[in-house]
């Protein structure tokens, strides 16, 4: 299969600490214990939103969406977290945010390489993350976007939850 067109986007990967997610506990998303605050059910695309965590991840019109800026949402760490929290159509979600944070940390550490500067003793990220879309022309002449590289989300149609 030959790609008609390929688009590559650099995904920021600068976060070195899970303190990035401290704001989950400071606002209306989760209690100090990690319990995710509930809300009335809403349906968005193929997702049922029944708590403030999913409101923050999916609903741009919600009061909690702005807890993370657009720049923070572009970070690879946030994308991994979002992917794990949302799962898919048959996802059995957690009522506590801590398991999501633990798995996000483990996955992120497995995917990202860091290095300690011998002089300053500071950590820096060596990895580069890209979002790659390959546009393939099907037999009927319609172009379809398919992500062929594994690190980032793929937005085909309205589903932000496809990772190849």
């Amino acid at each position: 299969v030959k790609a008609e067109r390929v688009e590559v986007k650099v995904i920021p990967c600068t976060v070195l600490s899970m303190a990035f997610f401290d704001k989950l506990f400071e606002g209306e998303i989760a209690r100090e214990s990690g319990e995710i605050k509930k809300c009335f059910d809403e349906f968005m695309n193929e997702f049922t939103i029944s708590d403030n965590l999913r409101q923050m991840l999916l609903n741009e019109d919600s009061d909690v969406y702005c807890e993370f800026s657009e720049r923070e949402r572009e970070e690879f760490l946030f994308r991994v977290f979002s992917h794990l929290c949302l799962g898919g159509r048959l996802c059995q979600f957690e009522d506590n945010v801590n398991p999501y944070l633990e798995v996000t940390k483990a996955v992120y550490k497995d995917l990202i390489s860091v290095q300690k500067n011998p002089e300053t003793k500071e950590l820096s990220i060596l990895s580069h993350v890209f979002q790659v879309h390959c546009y393939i022309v099907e037999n009927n002449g319609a172009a379809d976007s398919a992500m062929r590289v594994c690190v980032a989300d793929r937005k085909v149609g309205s589903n932000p939850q496809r990772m190849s």
Side-chain angles (χ1 to χ4, degrees):
V1 176
K2 184 176 177 182
E4 185 74 21
R5 185 177 88 230
V6 176
E7 293 177 1
V8 178
K9 177 182 174 187
V10 175
I11 302 300
C13 186
T14 61
V15 179
L16 288 167
S17 168
M18 293 299 286
F20 178 80
F21 292 111
D22 285 352
K23 58 179 72 180
L24 294 173
F25 302 96
E26 297 165 357
E28 291 298 315
I29 298 170
R31 292 173 175 44
E32 195 174 305
S33 65
E35 180 186 354
I36 300 169
K37 296 180 182 181
K38 302 295 181 195
C39 65
F40 291 110
D41 283 356
E42 286 186 45
F43 302 94
M44 183 169 280
N45 301 321
E46 62 190 53
F47 295 99
T48 301
I49 300 173
S50 57
D51 58 49
N52 285 354
L53 177 62
R54 280 153 197 79
Q55 286 281 1
M56 183 272 299
L57 293 171
L58 292 168
N59 187 357
E60 293 180 22
D61 296 328
S62 76
D63 294 337
V64 292
Y65 186 84
C66 62
E67 293 287 331
F68 287 87
S69 69
E70 291 303 319
R71 187 169 189 222
E72 289 170 320
R73 289 171 180 277
E74 285 293 313
E75 279 288 337
F76 184 56
L77 180 62
F78 186 89
R79 289 171 177 241
V80 171
F81 175 75
S82 177
H83 185 77
L84 293 171
C85 291
L86 295 175
R89 198 173 292 178
L90 301 175
C91 177
Q92 183 175 348
F93 59 85
E94 294 287 335
D95 291 324
N96 192 298
V97 74
N98 290 322
Y100 293 125
L101 294 172
E102 291 166 12
V103 174
T104 297
K105 180 179 181 178
V107 169
Y108 191 67
K109 285 176 74 173
D110 282 347
L111 294 175
I112 301 302
S113 297
V114 297
Q115 172 180 307
K116 186 182 275 189
N117 184 319
E119 295 171 8
T120 65
K121 306 295 185 213
E122 290 183 15
L123 290 177
S124 61
I125 296 174
L126 299 176
S127 300
H128 299 279
V129 180
F130 302 95
Q131 179 175 344
V132 180
H133 286 273
C134 295
Y135 293 89
I136 301 164
V137 176
E138 300 292 330
N139 291 339
N140 62 5
D144 182 31
S145 168
M147 180 160 263
R148 301 294 183 203
V149 174
C150 71
V151 262
D153 65 10
R154 163 180 141 171
K155 291 187 180 180
V156 177
S158 60
N159 185 352
Q161 256 330 81
R162 297 191 179 122
M163 194 176 270
S164 299

